[in-house]
Coordinates of all heavy atoms in Angstrom, one line a residue:
Chain X
G15 N 105.4 130.5 88.2 CA 105.5 130.9 86.8 C 104.2 130.9 86.0 O 104.1 131.5 84.9
A16 N 103.2 130.3 86.6 CA 101.9 130.2 85.9 C 101.0 131.4 86.1 O 101.4 132.4 86.7 CB 101.1 128.9 86.4
I17 N 99.8 131.4 85.6 CA 98.8 132.4 85.7 C 97.7 131.9 86.5 O 97.2 130.7 86.2 CB 98.3 132.9 84.3 CG1 99.5 133.5 83.5 CG2 97.2 134.0 84.5 CD1 99.1 133.8 82.1
V18 N 97.1 132.6 87.4 CA 96.0 132.2 88.1 C 94.9 133.3 88.2 O 95.3 134.5 88.2 CB 96.3 131.7 89.6 CG1 96.7 132.9 90.5 CG2 95.2 130.9 90.2
Q19 N 93.7 132.9 88.2 CA 92.6 133.9 88.2 C 91.7 133.6 89.4 O 91.3 132.4 89.6 CB 91.7 133.8 86.9 CG 90.5 134.7 86.9 CD 89.8 134.6 85.6 OE1 90.4 134.7 84.5 NE2 88.5 134.5 85.6
I20 N 91.4 134.6 90.2 CA 90.6 134.4 91.4 C 89.3 135.2 91.2 O 89.3 136.4 91.0 CB 91.3 134.9 92.7 CG1 92.6 134.1 92.9 CG2 90.4 134.8 93.9 CD1 93.4 134.6 94.1
N21 N 88.2 134.5 91.2 CA 86.9 135.1 90.8 C 86.2 135.6 92.1 O 86.4 135.1 93.2 CB 86.0 134.1 90.1 CG 86.6 133.7 88.8 OD1 87.2 134.5 88.1 ND2 86.4 132.4 88.5
C22 N 85.4 136.6 91.9 CA 84.6 137.2 93.0 C 83.2 137.6 92.4 O 83.1 138.4 91.4 CB 85.3 138.4 93.6 SG 84.3 139.3 94.8
T23 N 82.2 137.0 92.9 CA 80.8 137.5 92.6 C 80.2 138.1 93.8 O 80.4 137.7 94.9 CB 79.9 136.3 92.1 OG1 79.9 135.3 93.1 CG2 80.5 135.7 90.8
Y24 N 79.4 139.2 93.5 CA 78.9 139.9 94.6 C 77.4 140.2 94.5 O 76.9 140.2 93.4 CB 79.6 141.2 94.8 CG 79.6 142.2 93.6 CD1 78.5 143.1 93.4 CD2 80.6 142.1 92.6 CE1 78.5 143.9 92.3 CE2 80.6 142.9 91.5 CZ 79.5 143.8 91.4 OH 79.5 144.7 90.3
Q25 N 76.8 140.4 95.6 CA 75.4 140.8 95.6 C 75.3 141.9 96.7 O 75.4 141.6 97.9 CB 74.5 139.6 96.0 CG 73.0 139.8 95.9 CD 72.3 138.6 96.1 OE1 72.8 137.6 96.7 NE2 71.0 138.5 95.7
T26 N 75.0 143.1 96.2 CA 74.9 144.2 97.2 C 74.1 145.4 96.6 O 74.1 145.5 95.4 CB 76.3 144.7 97.6 OG1 76.2 145.7 98.6 CG2 77.1 145.3 96.4
S27 N 73.5 146.1 97.5 CA 72.8 147.3 97.0 C 73.8 148.5 97.0 O 74.8 148.5 97.8 CB 71.6 147.7 97.9 OG 72.1 147.8 99.2
G28 N 73.6 149.5 96.2 CA 74.5 150.7 96.2 C 75.9 150.4 95.9 O 76.8 150.9 96.6
F29 N 76.2 149.5 94.9 CA 77.6 149.1 94.6 C 78.4 150.3 94.3 O 78.1 151.2 93.6 CB 77.5 148.2 93.4 CG 78.9 147.9 92.9 CD1 79.7 146.9 93.5 CD2 79.5 148.5 91.8 CE1 80.9 146.5 93.0 CE2 80.7 148.3 91.3 CZ 81.5 147.3 91.9
Y30 N 79.6 150.3 94.9 CA 80.5 151.4 94.8 C 82.0 150.9 94.7 O 82.8 151.2 95.6 CB 80.4 152.3 96.0 CG 80.6 153.8 95.7 CD1 79.5 154.6 95.5 CD2 81.8 154.3 95.7 CE1 79.6 155.9 95.3 CE2 82.0 155.7 95.4 CZ 80.9 156.5 95.2 OH 81.1 157.8 95.0
G31 N 82.2 150.1 93.7 CA 83.6 149.7 93.4 C 84.0 148.4 94.0 O 83.5 148.0 95.0
L32 N 84.9 147.7 93.3 CA 85.5 146.4 93.8 C 87.0 146.6 94.0 O 87.7 147.1 93.1 CB 85.2 145.4 92.7 CG 85.8 144.0 92.9 CD1 85.0 143.3 94.1 CD2 85.6 143.1 91.7
S33 N 87.4 146.1 95.2 CA 88.8 146.2 95.6 C 89.3 144.8 95.8 O 88.6 143.9 96.1 CB 89.0 147.0 96.8 OG 88.4 148.3 96.7
W34 N 90.7 144.7 95.7 CA 91.4 143.4 96.0 C 92.5 143.7 97.0 O 93.2 144.7 96.9 CB 91.9 142.8 94.8 CG 90.9 142.2 93.9 CD1 90.3 142.9 92.8 CD2 90.3 140.9 93.9 NE1 89.4 142.0 92.2 CE2 89.4 140.8 92.9 CE3 90.5 139.8 94.8 CZ2 88.6 139.7 92.7 CZ3 89.8 138.7 94.6 CH2 88.9 138.6 93.5
Y35 N 92.6 142.8 98.0 CA 93.6 142.9 99.0 C 94.4 141.6 99.2 O 93.8 140.5 99.0 CB 93.0 143.3 100.4 CG 92.5 144.7 100.4 CD1 91.2 145.0 99.9 CD2 93.3 145.7 100.9 CE1 90.7 146.3 99.9 CE2 92.8 147.0 100.9 CZ 91.5 147.3 100.4 OH 91.1 148.6 100.4
Q36 N 95.6 141.7 99.5 CA 96.5 140.5 99.7 C 96.8 140.5 101.2 O 97.1 141.6 101.8 CB 97.8 140.6 98.9 CG 98.7 139.5 99.1 CD 100.1 139.8 98.5 OE1 100.8 140.7 98.9 NE2 100.5 139.0 97.5
Q37 N 96.8 139.3 101.8 CA 97.2 139.2 103.2 C 98.0 137.9 103.4 O 97.5 136.8 103.2 CB 95.9 139.1 104.1 CG 96.3 139.1 105.6 CD 95.0 139.1 106.5 OE1 94.0 138.5 106.1 NE2 95.1 139.7 107.7
H38 N 99.3 138.1 103.8 CA 100.1 137.0 104.2 C 99.8 136.6 105.6 O 99.3 137.4 106.4 CB 101.6 137.3 104.1 CG 102.1 137.5 102.7 ND1 102.2 138.7 102.0 CD2 102.5 136.5 101.8 CE1 102.6 138.5 100.8 NE2 102.8 137.2 100.6
D39 N 100.0 135.3 105.9 CA 99.7 134.8 107.2 C 100.4 135.6 108.3 O 101.6 135.9 108.3 CB 100.3 133.3 107.4 CG 99.4 132.3 106.6 OD1 98.3 132.7 106.2 OD2 99.8 131.2 106.4
G40 N 99.6 136.1 109.3 CA 100.1 136.9 110.4 C 100.3 138.3 110.0 O 100.8 139.1 110.9
G41 N 100.0 138.7 108.8 CA 100.2 140.1 108.4 C 98.9 140.9 108.2 O 97.8 140.4 108.4
A42 N 99.1 142.1 107.8 CA 98.0 143.0 107.6 C 97.6 142.9 106.1 O 98.4 142.7 105.2 CB 98.4 144.5 107.9
P43 N 96.3 143.2 105.8 CA 95.9 143.3 104.4 C 96.6 144.4 103.7 O 96.8 145.5 104.3 CB 94.4 143.5 104.5 CG 94.0 143.1 105.8 CD 95.2 143.4 106.7
T44 N 97.0 144.2 102.5 CA 97.6 145.3 101.7 C 96.8 145.5 100.4 O 96.4 144.5 99.8 CB 99.1 145.1 101.4 OG1 99.2 143.8 100.7 CG2 99.9 145.0 102.6
F45 N 96.6 146.7 100.0 CA 95.8 147.0 98.9 C 96.5 146.6 97.6 O 97.7 146.8 97.4 CB 95.5 148.5 98.8 CG 94.9 149.1 97.6 CD1 93.5 149.0 97.5 CD2 95.6 149.6 96.6 CE1 92.9 149.5 96.3 CE2 95.0 150.1 95.4 CZ 93.6 150.0 95.3
L46 N 95.7 146.0 96.7 CA 96.3 145.6 95.4 C 95.7 146.4 94.2 O 96.4 146.9 93.4 CB 96.0 144.1 95.1 CG 96.7 143.1 96.0 CD1 96.2 141.7 95.6 CD2 98.2 143.2 95.8
S47 N 94.3 146.5 94.2 CA 93.7 147.2 93.0 C 92.3 147.6 93.4 O 91.7 147.1 94.3 CB 93.7 146.3 91.8 OG 92.9 145.2 92.0
Y48 N 91.8 148.5 92.5 CA 90.4 149.0 92.7 C 89.8 149.2 91.3 O 90.4 149.8 90.4 CB 90.4 150.3 93.4 CG 89.1 151.0 93.5 CD1 88.1 150.6 94.4 CD2 88.8 152.1 92.7 CE1 86.9 151.2 94.5 CE2 87.6 152.8 92.8 CZ 86.6 152.3 93.7 OH 85.4 152.9 93.8
N49 N 88.6 148.7 91.1 CA 87.8 148.9 89.9 C 86.5 149.6 90.2 O 85.7 149.1 90.9 CB 87.5 147.6 89.2 CG 88.7 146.9 88.7 OD1 89.5 146.4 89.4 ND2 88.9 146.8 87.4
A50 N 86.3 150.8 89.6 CA 85.0 151.5 89.8 C 84.2 151.3 88.5 O 82.9 151.2 88.6 CB 85.3 153.0 90.0
L51 N 84.8 151.1 87.4 CA 84.1 151.0 86.1 C 84.5 149.6 85.5 O 85.5 149.0 85.9 CB 84.5 152.1 85.2 CG 84.3 153.5 85.7 CD1 84.9 154.5 84.7 CD2 82.8 153.8 85.9
D52 N 83.6 149.2 84.6 CA 83.9 147.9 83.9 C 85.2 148.0 83.2 O 85.6 149.0 82.6 CB 82.8 147.7 82.9 CG 81.4 147.4 83.5 OD1 81.4 147.3 84.8 OD2 80.4 147.4 82.8
G53 N 85.8 146.8 83.1 CA 87.1 146.7 82.4 C 88.2 146.2 83.2 O 88.0 145.7 84.3
L54 N 89.4 146.2 82.6 CA 90.6 145.7 83.2 C 91.5 146.8 83.7 O 91.7 147.8 83.0 CB 91.3 144.8 82.1 CG 92.4 143.9 82.5 CD1 91.9 142.8 83.4 CD2 93.1 143.4 81.3
E55 N 92.0 146.6 84.9 CA 93.0 147.5 85.4 C 94.3 146.7 85.6 O 94.2 145.6 86.2 CB 92.6 148.0 86.8 CG 91.4 149.0 86.7 CD 91.7 150.4 86.3 OE1 92.9 150.7 86.3 OE2 90.8 151.1 85.9
E56 N 95.4 147.2 85.1 CA 96.7 146.4 85.2 C 97.7 147.2 86.1 O 97.9 148.4 85.9 CB 97.2 146.2 83.8 CG 96.3 145.4 83.0 CD 96.9 145.1 81.6 OE1 97.8 144.3 81.4 OE2 96.4 145.8 80.6
T57 N 98.3 146.4 87.0 CA 99.3 147.0 87.9 C 100.4 145.9 88.0 O 100.4 145.0 88.8 CB 98.8 147.3 89.3 OG1 97.6 148.1 89.2 CG2 99.9 148.0 90.1
G58 N 101.4 146.0 87.1 CA 102.5 145.1 87.1 C 102.0 143.7 86.8 O 101.3 143.4 85.8
R59 N 102.3 142.7 87.6 CA 101.9 141.3 87.4 C 100.5 141.1 87.7 O 99.9 140.0 87.4 CB 102.8 140.4 88.2 CG 104.3 140.4 87.8 CD 105.0 139.3 88.6 NE 105.0 139.5 90.1 CZ 104.4 138.7 90.9 NH1 103.7 137.6 90.5 NH2 104.5 138.9 92.2
F60 N 99.8 142.0 88.4 CA 98.5 141.8 88.8 C 97.5 142.7 87.9 O 97.8 143.8 87.6 CB 98.3 142.3 90.3 CG 99.0 141.5 91.3 CD1 99.8 140.4 90.9 CD2 98.9 141.7 92.6 CE1 100.5 139.6 91.9 CE2 99.6 141.0 93.6 CZ 100.4 139.9 93.2
S61 N 96.4 142.1 87.6 CA 95.3 142.8 86.9 C 94.0 142.5 87.6 O 93.8 141.4 88.2 CB 95.2 142.3 85.4 OG 96.5 142.4 84.8
S62 N 93.1 143.4 87.5 CA 91.8 143.2 88.0 C 90.7 143.6 87.0 O 90.9 144.6 86.3 CB 91.6 143.9 89.4 OG 91.8 145.3 89.2
F63 N 89.6 142.8 87.0 CA 88.6 143.0 86.0 C 87.2 143.2 86.7 O 87.0 142.6 87.8 CB 88.5 141.8 85.1 CG 87.3 141.8 84.1 CD1 87.4 142.6 83.0 CD2 86.2 141.1 84.4 CE1 86.3 142.6 82.1 CE2 85.1 141.1 83.6 CZ 85.2 141.9 82.4
L64 N 86.4 144.0 86.2 CA 85.0 144.2 86.7 C 84.0 144.2 85.6 O 84.2 144.9 84.6 CB 85.0 145.5 87.5 CG 83.6 145.9 88.0 CD1 83.1 144.9 89.0 CD2 83.6 147.3 88.6
S65 N 82.9 143.5 85.9 CA 81.7 143.6 85.0 C 80.5 143.9 85.9 O 80.1 143.0 86.7 CB 81.5 142.3 84.3 OG 80.2 142.3 83.6
R66 N 80.1 145.1 86.0 CA 79.0 145.5 86.9 C 77.7 144.8 86.4 O 76.8 144.5 87.3 CB 78.8 147.0 86.9 CG 80.0 147.7 87.6 CD 79.9 149.2 87.5 NE 80.1 149.6 86.2 CZ 79.9 150.8 85.7 NH1 79.5 151.8 86.6 NH2 80.1 151.2 84.5
S67 N 77.5 144.6 85.2 CA 76.2 144.0 84.7 C 76.1 142.5 85.2 O 75.0 142.0 85.4 CB 76.1 144.0 83.2 OG 77.2 143.4 82.6
D68 N 77.3 141.9 85.3 CA 77.3 140.5 85.8 C 77.6 140.4 87.3 O 77.6 139.3 87.8 CB 78.4 139.7 85.0 CG 78.1 139.6 83.6 OD1 76.9 139.4 83.2 OD2 79.0 139.7 82.8
S69 N 77.8 141.5 88.0 CA 78.1 141.5 89.4 C 79.3 140.6 89.6 O 79.3 139.7 90.6 CB 76.9 141.1 90.3 OG 75.9 142.0 90.1
Y70 N 80.4 140.8 88.9 CA 81.5 139.8 88.8 C 82.8 140.5 88.6 O 82.9 141.5 87.9 CB 81.2 138.8 87.7 CG 82.4 138.0 87.3 CD1 82.8 136.9 88.0 CD2 83.0 138.3 86.1 CE1 83.9 136.2 87.6 CE2 84.1 137.6 85.6 CZ 84.5 136.5 86.4 OH 85.6 135.7 85.9
G71 N 83.8 140.0 89.2 CA 85.1 140.5 89.0 C 86.1 139.4 89.2 O 85.8 138.4 89.7
Y72 N 87.4 139.7 88.8 CA 88.4 138.7 89.1 C 89.8 139.4 89.2 O 90.0 140.5 88.8 CB 88.5 137.6 88.0 CG 88.9 138.1 86.6 CD1 90.2 138.4 86.3 CD2 87.9 138.1 85.6 CE1 90.5 138.8 85.0 CE2 88.3 138.4 84.3 CZ 89.6 138.8 84.0 OH 89.9 139.2 82.7
L73 N 90.6 138.7 89.9 CA 92.0 139.2 90.1 C 92.9 138.2 89.3 O 92.7 137.0 89.5 CB 92.4 139.2 91.6 CG 93.8 139.6 91.9 CD1 94.1 141.0 91.6 CD2 94.2 139.3 93.3
L74 N 93.7 138.7 88.5 CA 94.6 137.8 87.6 C 96.1 138.1 88.1 O 96.5 139.2 88.1 CB 94.4 138.2 86.2 CG 95.1 137.2 85.1 CD1 94.2 136.0 85.1 CD2 95.1 137.9 83.8
L75 N 96.7 137.0 88.4 CA 98.1 137.1 88.9 C 98.9 136.3 87.8 O 98.7 135.1 87.6 CB 98.3 136.4 90.2 CG 97.6 137.1 91.4 CD1 96.2 136.6 91.6 CD2 98.4 136.8 92.7
Q76 N 99.9 137.0 87.3 CA 100.7 136.4 86.2 C 102.1 136.2 86.8 O 102.5 136.8 87.8 CB 100.8 137.4 85.0 CG 99.4 137.7 84.4 CD 99.5 138.6 83.2 OE1 99.9 138.1 82.1 NE2 99.2 139.8 83.4
E77 N 102.8 135.3 86.1 CA 104.2 135.0 86.5 C 104.3 134.7 88.0 O 105.1 135.4 88.7 CB 105.2 136.1 86.0 CG 105.2 136.4 84.5 CD 105.9 137.7 84.2 OE1 106.8 138.1 85.0 OE2 105.7 138.2 83.1
L78 N 103.5 133.8 88.4 CA 103.4 133.5 89.9 C 104.8 133.3 90.5 O 105.6 132.6 89.9 CB 102.5 132.4 90.1 CG 101.0 132.6 90.1 CD1 100.2 131.3 90.2 CD2 100.6 133.6 91.2
Q79 N 104.9 133.9 91.7 CA 106.2 133.7 92.5 C 105.7 133.0 93.8 O 104.6 133.2 94.2 CB 106.9 135.0 92.7 CG 107.3 135.7 91.4 CD 107.8 137.1 91.6 OE1 108.1 137.5 92.8 NE2 108.0 137.8 90.5
M80 N 106.7 132.4 94.5 CA 106.4 131.8 95.7 C 105.9 132.8 96.7 O 105.0 132.5 97.5 CB 107.7 131.1 96.3 CG 108.3 130.0 95.4 SD 107.1 128.6 95.2 CE 107.1 127.9 96.8
K81 N 106.4 134.0 96.7 CA 105.9 135.0 97.6 C 104.5 135.4 97.4 O 103.9 136.1 98.3 CB 106.8 136.2 97.5 CG 106.7 137.0 96.2 CD 107.5 138.3 96.2 CE 107.4 139.0 94.9 NZ 108.2 140.3 94.9
D82 N 103.9 135.0 96.3 CA 102.4 135.3 96.1 C 101.5 134.4 96.9 O 100.3 134.6 96.9 CB 102.1 135.2 94.6 CG 102.8 136.2 93.7 OD1 103.1 137.3 94.2 OD2 103.2 135.8 92.6
S83 N 102.1 133.4 97.5 CA 101.3 132.5 98.4 C 100.7 133.4 99.5 O 101.5 133.9 100.4 CB 102.1 131.4 99.0 OG 102.4 130.4 97.9
A84 N 99.4 133.5 99.6 CA 98.8 134.4 100.6 C 97.3 134.2 100.4 O 96.8 133.5 99.6 CB 99.2 135.9 100.3
S85 N 96.5 135.0 101.2 CA 95.1 135.0 101.1 C 94.7 136.3 100.3 O 95.4 137.4 100.5 CB 94.4 135.0 102.4 OG 94.5 133.8 103.0
Y86 N 93.8 136.2 99.4 CA 93.3 137.3 98.6 C 91.8 137.6 98.9 O 91.0 136.7 98.8 CB 93.6 137.1 97.1 CG 95.1 137.0 96.8 CD1 95.8 135.8 97.0 CD2 95.7 138.1 96.4 CE1 97.1 135.8 96.8 CE2 97.1 138.1 96.1 CZ 97.8 136.9 96.4 OH 99.1 136.9 96.1
F87 N 91.5 138.8 99.2 CA 90.2 139.2 99.5 C 89.6 140.2 98.5 O 90.3 141.2 98.1 CB 90.1 139.9 100.9 CG 90.5 139.0 102.0 CD1 91.8 138.9 102.4 CD2 89.5 138.3 102.7 CE1 92.1 138.0 103.5 CE2 89.8 137.4 103.8 CZ 91.2 137.3 104.2
C88 N 88.4 139.9 98.0 CA 87.7 141.0 97.3 C 86.8 141.7 98.2 O 86.4 141.2 99.3 CB 86.9 140.4 96.1 SG 85.6 139.2 96.6
A89 N 86.6 143.0 97.9 CA 85.7 143.8 98.8 C 84.9 144.8 97.9 O 85.5 145.3 96.9 CB 86.6 144.6 99.8
V90 N 83.7 145.0 98.3 CA 82.9 146.0 97.5 C 82.5 147.1 98.4 O 82.2 146.9 99.6 CB 81.6 145.3 96.9 CG1 82.0 144.2 95.9 CG2 80.7 144.7 97.9
G91 N 82.4 148.3 97.8 CA 81.9 149.4 98.6 C 80.4 149.4 98.4 O 79.8 149.2 97.4
R92 N 79.7 149.6 99.6 CA 78.2 149.6 99.6 C 77.8 151.1 99.9 O 78.1 151.6 101.0 CB 77.7 148.7 100.7 CG 76.2 148.5 100.7 CD 75.9 147.7 102.0 NE 76.4 148.3 103.2 CZ 76.5 147.7 104.3 NH1 76.0 146.5 104.5 NH2 77.0 148.3 105.4
D93 N 77.2 151.7 99.0 CA 76.7 153.1 99.1 C 77.8 154.1 99.1 O 77.6 155.3 98.8 CB 75.9 153.3 100.4 CG 74.6 152.5 100.4 OD1 74.1 152.3 99.3 OD2 74.3 152.0 101.5
S94 N 79.1 153.7 99.4 CA 80.2 154.6 99.3 C 81.4 153.7 99.2 O 81.3 152.5 99.5 CB 80.4 155.5 100.5 OG 80.9 154.9 101.6
S95 N 82.6 154.3 98.8 CA 83.8 153.4 98.8 C 84.3 153.2 100.2 O 85.3 152.5 100.3 CB 84.8 154.1 97.9 OG 85.1 155.4 98.4
Y96 N 83.7 153.7 101.2 CA 84.2 153.6 102.6 C 83.4 152.6 103.4 O 83.9 152.2 104.5 CB 84.2 154.9 103.2 CG 85.0 155.9 102.3 CD1 84.4 156.9 101.6 CD2 86.4 155.8 102.2 CE1 85.1 157.7 100.8 CE2 87.1 156.6 101.4 CZ 86.4 157.6 100.7 OH 87.1 158.4 99.9
K97 N 82.2 152.2 103.0 CA 81.5 151.2 103.7 C 81.8 149.9 102.9 O 81.2 149.6 101.9 CB 80.0 151.4 103.7 CG 79.5 152.5 104.7 CD 78.0 152.6 104.7 CE 77.4 151.6 105.7 NZ 76.0 151.9 106.0

Side-chain angles (χ1 to χ4, degrees):
Chain X
I17 300 172
V18 72
Q19 178 174 312
I20 300 174
N21 299 321
C22 175
T23 57
Y24 60 86
Q25 188 175 21
T26 185
S27 58
F29 173 81
Y30 213 98
L32 176 69
S33 304
W34 289 93
Y35 290 82
Q36 179 192 62
Q37 185 180 30
H38 287 98
D39 285 346
T44 55
F45 173 83
L46 291 177
S47 69
Y48 174 77
N49 294 70
L51 303 174
D52 292 352
L54 192 67
E55 294 281 343
E56 297 180 76
T57 309
R59 294 188 296 115
F60 294 1
S61 303
S62 59
F63 172 82
L64 173 65
S65 169
R66 288 174 295 172
S67 60
D68 295 320
S69 298
Y70 163 78
Y72 65 73
L73 179 69
L74 192 73
L75 296 83
Q76 302 181 74
E77 301 172 22
L78 280 174
Q79 302 175 10
M80 299 297 291
K81 68 177 182 180
D82 296 329
S83 291
S85 292
Y86 293 84
F87 296 88
C88 59
V90 298
R92 183 189 55 194
D93 299 324
S94 80
S95 58
Y96 306 107
K97 284 187 88 167

